[in-house]
Amino acid sequence: MDFAFGLEDEVFRREARAWLEEHLTDHRTGTPGRRDWERELGRGGWIGLGWAEDGYGNRRADLTRQVVWAEEYARSKAPPRSGHIGENLLAPTLIAHGTPEQKRRFLPPVAEGRELWCQGYSEPGAGSDLAGVRTTAVRDAGAGSPGAYRITGQKIWTSLAHEADWCFVLARTEPGSVRHHGLSFLLVAMDQPGRIEVRPIRQLTGTSDFNEVFFDGALAEAGHVVGGEGGGWKVAMSLLGFERGVSTLAQQIGFAEELGRVLRTAVATGAALDPVVRDRLVRLWAELRVMRWNALRTLGGSAGAGAGAGAGAGAGGAGAGVPSVAKLLWGGWHRRLGEAAVLVRGAAAAVGPADWSAALPYELDEAQHLFLFSRADTIYGGSDEIQRTIIAERVLGLPKEPRGRP
């Protein structure tokens, strides 16, 4: 594959780099300024570069320029994006399946960085097996607009739910339906006190990146059903196909910076003199290069996006396995990097902060955080087992596993 940046792409790179340098000055502090930063990105037209349509306040860019922007954003060490779910998951789904009214209502606030979204998919009994969703949505003619839905159930591992304005929810709208039948894709406002409760999930790292969300009669307007009642499975699977795209390359730049820190630590501690350790580090470097070229090949080719995390439905053929291969590659790689990060530090990796009285309950350094958080990389977003099943069944054509096994 010939994937190269042309002269116009490099001009675009200089523009992106200059804009980031100029506007990042007051936005490097992280979470407190993340909403302001989203609005700043929106004013610059940098949200929605890869959308199939423009006219919502976004500028359009071809694939190579999307890659350029993703790379420059990662290199600039800009704040983590709060608008990723709205920009890269919801918006392409609305463009593909939404009504004109839904697009006019929801796309401009995403492009302008004014409204943030979270994803209501996984449940305690329906994580990797998304077709097991039990959250219900029942028509209630007396609630709000005619034909509105009342939603009851629980979602879990919901990123950004504590700061999101809206949530797209996969719920069962047909009583008695099973598996992927009778599901609908609903757009739900999160500001419903007494009807929606968000509970942070504390992790090994001491942080709370994920949440539980409880719906107790939460309302969704009849006009906020994407793909029609009962069409939720098709819409949900289409959305998952957008989950791993250009952003994978930006993720890899972050990975490269983490690997660089591990390599510098290995040199400083003398661990790099150990041939076994040195071999592991060289392998990590080589595997990261392979991941980059694989991502560029699949983005630049015609494989397309297939099934995403979770249930893994989608178009058959080789394209159906592309996201699964990518997830297997980076999930395992990042976990091995976390292991290497503590290995090269030796016994010091097990030591806590110097002043325990100041750490309530404790604080992790970068290597410790990387080691603990990356343990989940092969689970969240669709476990390794699920990804291998997708490849086996939808790419290799192997027989499906029997359902309902104990």
Side-chain angles (χ1 to χ4, degrees):
M1 179 205 67
D2 181 16
F3 191 103
F5 296 110
L7 178 61
E8 293 183 355
D9 297 324
E10 295 305 327
V11 171
F12 183 78
R13 184 185 300 278
R14 289 194 292 272
E15 178 188 356
R17 185 175 297 173
W19 189 93
L20 286 164
E21 289 177 354
E22 178 183 352
H23 291 81
L24 268 173
T25 304
D26 300 324
H27 295 279
R28 291 189 181 275
T29 55
T31 302
R34 279 165 65 171
R35 275 190 178 266
D36 291 339
W37 177 238
E38 288 295 323
R39 294 189 182 96
E40 191 77 21
L41 289 169
R43 285 191 288 271
W46 296 106
I47 299 176
L49 298 182
W51 293 359
E53 298 177 7
D54 55 15
Y56 300 106
N58 60 309
R59 61 172 90 187
R60 291 287 308 281
D62 62 17
L63 180 61
T64 55
R65 294 184 193 181
Q66 293 173 49
V67 172
V68 166
W69 168 253
E71 290 182 338
E72 290 305 316
Y73 191 91
R75 290 192 179 107
S76 72
K77 296 182 175 60
R81 290 290 309 281
S82 295
H84 159 72
I85 294 175
E87 177 186 6
N88 298 317
L89 298 183
L90 174 79
T93 302
L94 283 183
I95 290 171
H97 301 282
T99 64
E101 294 76 17
Q102 290 168 348
K103 295 178 187 180
R104 285 194 296 268
R105 165 59 185 88
F106 292 107
L107 292 180
V110 171
E112 296 164 13
R114 291 190 290 108
E115 291 183 347
L116 304 180
W117 285 79
C118 61
Q119 175 175 295
Y121 272 19
S122 295
E123 299 182 4
S128 293
D129 185 13
L130 189 58
V133 161
R134 290 189 289 183
T135 294
T136 61
V138 179
R139 287 267 192 172
D140 185 352
S145 61
Y149 293 84
R150 285 195 177 273
I151 302 170
T152 303
Q154 178 188 357
K155 298 294 181 177
I156 198 168
W157 308 119
T158 310
S159 303
L160 301 177
H162 59 292
E163 56 182 296
D165 303 294
W166 289 83
C167 181
F168 49 86
V169 177
L170 190 64
R172 199 163 294 282
T173 50
E174 181 183 334
S177 60
V178 296
R179 303 299 298 164
H180 56 277
H181 302 287
L183 297 171
S184 296
F185 189 99
L186 305 162
L187 310 180
V188 184
M190 291 293 286
D191 185 15
Q192 299 189 44
R195 293 174 176 169
I196 298 179
E197 180 184 359
V198 178
R199 299 179 189 172
I201 299 174
R202 190 171 181 81
Q203 301 154 214
L204 282 173
T205 56
T207 56
S208 300
D209 300 281
F210 309 107
N211 304 272
E212 294 177 283
V213 182
F214 296 86
F215 298 93
D216 186 9
L219 294 177
E221 295 183 17
H224 292 172
V225 180
V226 181
E229 184 173 303
W233 184 256
K234 177 181 178 181
V235 176
M237 293 302 100
S238 175
L239 179 143
L240 290 172
F242 297 117
E243 190 169 18
R244 300 176 189 121
V246 172
S247 59
T248 301
L249 290 166
Q251 176 192 55
Q252 290 171 11
I253 289 177
F255 286 170
E257 292 180 354
E258 291 176 339
L259 176 58
R261 289 195 292 269
V262 173
L263 293 174
R264 290 190 292 273
T265 300
V267 172
T269 62
L273 299 175
D274 184 328
V276 175
V277 173
R278 191 163 60 248
D279 179 69
R280 289 181 64 170
L281 297 176
V282 170
R283 284 179 178 273
L284 286 168
W285 178 86
E287 289 167 353
L288 183 58
R289 299 295 296 177
V290 169
M291 283 194 291
R292 173 175 173 78
W293 289 113
N294 180 68
L296 291 172
R297 177 181 62 83
T298 54
L299 284 171
S302 58
V322 167
S324 295
V325 169
K327 177 61 167 60
L328 284 171
L329 286 174
W330 72 254
W333 184 91
H334 202 219
R335 187 173 68 177
R336 293 192 295 276
L337 179 68
E339 294 167 351
V342 295
L343 173 67
V344 299
R345 292 186 59 198
V351 178
D355 182 5
W356 282 94
S357 63
L360 299 173
Y362 60 82
E363 293 180 3
L364 302 172
D365 60 32
E366 285 183 343
Q368 292 167 336
H369 186 280
L370 174 60
F371 171 75
L372 290 175
F373 189 84
S374 63
R375 308 306 294 170
D377 282 338
T378 57
I379 301 173
Y380 71 78
S383 67
D384 279 8
E385 291 80 3
I386 291 297
Q387 306 305 335
R388 291 190 178 100
T389 297
I390 292 170
I391 294 169
E393 295 179 357
R394 301 188 177 276
V395 179
L396 302 179
L398 298 179
K400 294 186 177 181
E401 290 189 29
R403 296 288 184 182
R405 292 174 59 185

